[in-house]
């Protein structure tokens, strides 16, 4: 589960280390298992390299046009930084392994999985989440088409889908329904609302993404 | 995930200077699509994570003009860039086609050529924190008599029966690519055909790089516009799925016959492998459904599937056949 949020390191001997330690090959794996605390090393920066951590460091992210600042350890992912530190909760955590798309955000205009990018890697880039798809109470055409076509059930996948779809239409406002669908290949809806999404896509493409 | 010190070197020299002499303590971070998940599973537990995001010059595709046409692709080039490159699509179609099929847009926007070639294998026992198999210092391969439907079918003499993970490896092998590699001792070159290694223990990776080496770029040369190439993979799902089997082919189409044929097979053995048998079966012949099918059959010679993956043998024959027909520009009878 969520080891990299605000919880700190794993305490004591994990089940895995215990299993390993009692196994026949305990000596062979000793070098892998015994990882001394990272705190022991000094993070040293030089002319050609910046070193950050292991303790919390200041992180500034540009999220939906606003610069937000917090302190995170290097292991914190962009998804956890957004949700748990910056309270930007549109992006969802489902698989947390880069396979479902619920955490999709745009980084410099391109859709990526925020669960699989370290927050530090997003510094200096423009991050766009589902929260950006509303302007003064007016819904962006993509989520508006989802509403009109009833293209969600539980809705947990929806913020990822609408961001991925917005990215396709931003890159190519004339995209065909087939092209839009291709751009959604990295998103999964566990409720299976694909048919209604197809309707939303057709409506959007007819209207030129508007 | 264990915590770590995050390094942001500005040069490749500084990056390799931070690597250690043994695996396990330091990892290069490219797109992170493999490494970050491995860290969450406690399979990778580096104390130093060395980000390549600020290293200059890694994300370039260089291309010479005229024939022979030489390409040099930086290790930091994204899979999405490979898939969208019209130059590659024209002269090295096998590579663009393979890149385009990998995962979904989010992964292709993050994942890099270097990370794709150096990624760890996808055996579910390897990825499972609780399964101390051979590659994690245990004394047993759990896949041999376990759940092995996605594993290797070329298994003779193999202690670990992973399926090679990289879909961009096979096209680069048939294009005769060479890897440029940097370590604190300097640069060296490795033909891609010798780049991969079947791992047998925790001190091994799926490639031959030393722990303090880094891939800088991959280069290859296309002799003329007579060179045709293609990749074909069979998946369970239409998109965003791993190949069950994959074939890449390249040859010169000269007066209707195929010359200098190279055929590589992916996701069917612990390493991506060139098939001399398949290439020999079609060398000097015209490419049609009959000759392509015969080459497909030849590609399966020596296959020794595991208890659950005999089906992959048939799929492999089909993948080779369709890759050959695609490269030759034949009608894709399988597309309706
Ligand atoms: C849902 C899903 C589906 C996928 N489907 C496919 C598929 O069909 N085919 C396929 O091939 N892959 C597939 N992948 C895997 C994906 O292609 C790899 O995770 C990706 O290519 C790794 O690249 P990266 O830049 O993210 O590497 P990272 O995760 O950053 O690194 C991976 C490894 O390579 C090392 N490394 C990175 N760059 C270098 C370098 N320059 N020199 C030396 N070592 C380096 C790192 O240290 C690390 O050990 C899939 C992944 C997911 C999540
Ligand atoms: S195939 Fe390799 S990685 Fe998988 S269980 Fe066997 S030894 Fe481990
Ligand atoms: S939560 Fe990131 S892809 Fe599933
Ligand atoms: S609406 Fe429930 S997962 Fe898509």
């Amino acid at each position: 589960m969520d080891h990299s949020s605000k919880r700190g390191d794993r305490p004591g001997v994990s089940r895995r280390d215990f299993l390993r330690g009692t196994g026949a090959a305990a000596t062979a794996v000793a070098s892998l298992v015994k990882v001394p605390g990272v705190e022991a090393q000094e993070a040293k920066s030089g002319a050609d390299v910046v070193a950050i951590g292991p303790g919390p460091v200041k992180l500034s992210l540009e999220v939906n046009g606003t610069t937000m600042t917090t302190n995170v350890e290097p292991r914190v992912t962009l998804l956890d930084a957004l949700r748990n530190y910056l309270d930007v909760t549109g992006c969802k955590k489902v698989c947390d392994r880069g396979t479902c798309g619920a955490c999709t955000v745009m980084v410099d205009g391109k859709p990526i999985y925020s669960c699989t990018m370290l927050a530090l890697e997003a510094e200096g880039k423009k991050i766009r989440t589902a929260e950006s798809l509303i302007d003064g109470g007016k819904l962006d055409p993509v989520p508006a088409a989802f509403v009109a076509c009833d293209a969600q059930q539980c809705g947990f996948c929806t913020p990822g889908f609408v961001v991925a779809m917005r990215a396709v239409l931003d890159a190519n406002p004339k995209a065909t329904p087939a092209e839009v669908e291709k751009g959604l290949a990295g998103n999964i809806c566990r409720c299976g609302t694909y048919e209604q999404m197809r309707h939303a896509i057709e409506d959007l493409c007819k209207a030129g993404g508007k | 995930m264990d915590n770590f010190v995050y390094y942001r070197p500005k040069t490749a020299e500084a990056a390799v200077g931070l690597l250690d002499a043994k695996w396990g303590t330091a990892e290069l971070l490219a797109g992170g699509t493999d490494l970050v998940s491995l860290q969450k599973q406690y399979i990778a537990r580096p104390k130093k994570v060395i980000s390549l995001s600020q290293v200059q010059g890694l994300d370039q595709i260089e291309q010479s003009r005229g024939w022979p046409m030489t390409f040099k692709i930086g290790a930091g080039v994204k899979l999405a860039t490979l898939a969208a490159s019209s130059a590659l699509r024209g002269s090295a179609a096998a590579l663009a086609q393979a890149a385009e099929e990998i995962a979904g847009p989010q992964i292709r926007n993050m994942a890099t050529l270097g990370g794709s070639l150096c990624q760890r294998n996808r055996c579910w026992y390897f990825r499972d924190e609780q399964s101390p198999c051979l590659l994690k210092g245990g004394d047993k391969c759990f896949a041999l008599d376990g759940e092995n439907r996605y594993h290797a079918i070329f298994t003779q003499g193999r202690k670990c029966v992973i399926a090679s993970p990289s879909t961009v490896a096979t096209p680069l092998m048939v294009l005769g690519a060479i890897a440029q590699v940097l370590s604190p001792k300097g640069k060296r070159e490795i033909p891609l055909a010798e780049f991969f290694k079947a791992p047998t223990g925790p001190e091994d990776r799926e490639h031959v790089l030393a722990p303090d080496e880094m891939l800088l770029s991959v280069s290859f040369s296309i002799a003329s516009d007579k060179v045709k190439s293609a990749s074909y993979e069979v998946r369970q799902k239409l998109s965003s799925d791993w190949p069950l089997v994959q074939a890449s082919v390249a040859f010169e189409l000269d007066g209707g016959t195929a010359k200098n044929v190279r055929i590589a097979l992916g996701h069917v053995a612990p390493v991506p492998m060139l098939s001399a048998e398949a290439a020999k079966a079609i060398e000097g012949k015209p490419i049609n459904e009959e000759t392509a099918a015969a080459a497909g059959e030849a590609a399966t010679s020596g296959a020794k599937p595991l208890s659950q993956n005999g089906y992959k043998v048939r799929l492999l024959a089909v993948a080779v056949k369709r890759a050959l027909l695609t490269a030759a520009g034949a009608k894709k009878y399988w597309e309706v």
Side-chain angles (χ1 to χ4, degrees), chain A residues 98, chain B residues 27-28 30-35 107 112 115-116 118-119 165 167 215 242-243:
Chain B
E27 291 280 352
L28 296 171
T33 59
D34 187 27
L35 181 61
I107 293 284
T112 62
S116 183
C118 298
Q119 63 178 300
T167 306
L215 181 66
W242 289 84

Side-chain angles (χ1 to χ4, degrees), chain A residues 4-7 52-61 68-87 117-123, chain B residues 3-6 8:
Chain A
S4 52
S5 338
K6 289 187 172 174
R7 253 207 266 145
I52 296 172
V57 290
K58 189 172 161 208
L59 171 78
S60 287
L61 293 178
M68 298 179 146
T69 304
T70 182
N71 291 298
V72 297
E73 290 176 341
R75 63 175 151 177
V76 172
T77 62
L78 176 58
L79 176 64
D80 283 333
L82 288 168
R83 290 184 57 84
N84 301 353
Y85 293 73
L86 300 171
D87 212 22
M117 178 178 275
L118 296 180
L120 286 166
E121 294 274 292
E123 270 188 320
Chain B
N3 203 10
F4 48 80
V5 179
Y6 169 91
R8 219 181 252 156

Side-chain angles (χ1 to χ4, degrees), chain B residues 144 154-161 198-200 270 304:
Chain B
L144 273 178
F154 291 93
T155 57
Q156 301 91 321
R158 299 300 193 189
K159 290 187 183 140
C160 158
V161 291
T200 56
K304 197 160 166 264

Side-chain angles (χ1 to χ4, degrees), chain B residues 31-327:
Chain B
T33 59
D34 187 27
L35 181 61
V36 173
S37 288
L38 287 168
Q39 288 179 277
K40 288 178 187 171
Q41 296 291 124
Y42 295 90
I43 307 300
R45 309 186 71 169
K47 292 183 284 172
K48 300 191 249 180
V49 169
I50 301 150
S51 167
L52 298 178
S53 59
Q54 302 298 315
V55 174
Q56 300 303 308
L58 280 184
D59 61 351
Q60 303 296 315
I61 301 184
E62 290 167 32
Q63 180 201 348
S64 71
R65 282 163 182 269
W67 305 105
M69 193 179 286
T70 304
F71 288 91
K72 189 171 186 187
I73 308 175
V77 171
K78 304 281 181 196
L79 297 181
T81 309
L82 291 181
S85 158
S86 53
L88 288 177
R89 203 151 276 280
S91 310
L95 180 58
Q97 286 164 6
E100 188 184 16
E101 300 280 313
I102 294 173
Q106 292 93 333
I107 293 284
R108 292 194 297 272
N109 283 334
M110 304 171 81
T112 62
L113 175 68
S116 183
L117 292 172
C118 298
Q119 63 178 300
R120 301 304 318 261
N121 76 81
R122 288 275 159 177
C123 169
W124 36 37
Y125 297 108
F126 177 71
R127 299 258 158 183
D128 173 27
E129 197 189 341
Q130 312 289 352
S131 303
C133 76
L134 268 189
L135 290 202
K136 292 181 279 178
D139 55 4
K140 185 172 184 306
C141 167
F142 296 113
L144 273 178
D145 56 1
E147 297 292 338
N148 54 35
R149 75 196 66 132
Y150 301 129
H151 286 74
I153 52 173
F154 291 93
T155 57
Q156 301 91 321
R158 299 300 193 189
K159 290 187 183 140
C160 158
V161 291
I162 55 166
S164 64
S166 177
T167 306
V168 293
T170 38
L172 287 168
M173 280 167 70
V174 297
L175 294 170
I178 295 170
Q180 286 80 41
V181 168
L182 182 75
S183 79
K185 293 192 280 295
K187 281 190 193 173
R188 67 169 176 140
E189 296 206 316
I190 310 171
L192 251 259
E194 293 159 26
F195 186 82
F196 300 97
K197 179 170 82 175
T200 56
E203 301 304 324
D204 286 335
R205 289 277 159 117
E206 288 76 357
H207 53 70
V208 300
L209 295 187
D212 64 353
E213 280 183 315
M214 164 183 168
L215 181 66
L216 291 178
S217 55
V218 167
S219 61
F220 54 87
S221 188
I222 308 288
S224 74
D225 61 358
K226 287 182 184 154
V227 175
K228 309 293 172 198
S229 70
S231 294
Y232 188 91
E233 63 182 65
V234 181
R235 290 185 302 259
Q236 257 170 330
K237 289 184 275 176
L238 270 179
S239 61
S240 206
D241 200 8
W242 289 84
L244 298 166
V245 303
Q246 181 215 19
S248 293
V249 303
F251 49 82
E252 278 171 56
L253 201 55
D254 197 2
T257 62
K259 298 225 171 78
N260 297 324
V261 183
R262 282 164 164 263
I263 298 180
L265 316 176
H267 306 267
V268 290
V271 287
M273 55 187 248
L274 285 165
S275 171
E277 291 88 347
K280 201 171 140 226
I282 201 150
E283 180 73 33
K285 296 195 178 142
I287 291 186
N288 53 44
E289 277 188 41
E290 200 182 324
T291 55
E297 288 307 321
T300 66
S301 69
K304 197 160 166 264
L306 301 165
S307 57
Q308 299 175 338
N309 67 5
Y311 73 97
K312 275 195 173 194
V313 179
R314 299 312 324 140
L315 296 186
L316 180 63
V318 173
V320 170
K321 176 184 175 188
R322 292 184 182 183
L324 284 165
L325 292 171
T326 303

